[in-house]
Every structure is written in structure tokens, then in C-alpha cells.
Amino acid sequence: MEQTEFNRDLFDFLKNSPTPYHAVEQVAQRLDAAGFEALDEGDAWNLTPGGRYYVIRNGSSIVAFVQGPMDERGMRMVGAHTDS
């Protein structure tokens, strides 16, 4: 993705995310487009290795992850937050 396209995409995301609820909706749409599957945190999950998933809580928080193999290195995590 070239810099101009990246910047345009970022500005579109920011314009469409005036609240944490909107930001979560925008992220969920992008995750769906990338092949992630939405999960309900109240359901039992049947995760598959390499599966791509996300969970939304209260419409204002989203957690996405890829189910990978666990090894001696443990797991890798990245976090971010939105403020209104």
C-alpha cells in the first residue's frame, strides 16, 4: 500500500470513528474483510489452529486473535485503546 493510500485509509477510519463504538464497528468490518470470524464470549468456542477470530464486548471493546500453536516462547500480544 503506498503512503497516500495508507493515509487516505487512516483518515477515512478516523472520520468514521468519532466514538469507541464507531471505532469498534470499523475494526470489525476490517476484520470481517480479512477473514476473521466473530465469536460470542458467552458461547463455547471451537477454535482451529490458524483460525482468525474476534470478540466484541459492550460494543465498545474488541479483541482479535489468531489461534496459533503454543510453544516455549508463549504467545505474542498487541494492545491498543480508543478514547472519546
Side-chain angles (χ1 to χ4, degrees), residues 56-70:
I56 295 174
R57 178 180 278 184
N58 299 326
S60 61
S61 300
I62 189 166
V63 174
F65 61 96
V66 175
Q67 177 66 26
M70 290 296 287

Side-chain angles (χ1 to χ4, degrees), residues 5-38:
E5 183 182 349
F6 176 85
N7 290 341
R8 190 175 304 117
D9 186 50
L10 174 60
F11 286 130
D12 286 343
F13 177 83
L14 295 172
K15 179 180 73 177
N16 292 312
S17 302
T19 70
Y21 300 96
H22 292 92
V24 166
E25 183 179 321
Q26 290 291 307
V27 170
Q29 289 174 9
R30 290 164 183 251
L31 290 170
D32 288 337
F36 280 71
E37 178 184 341

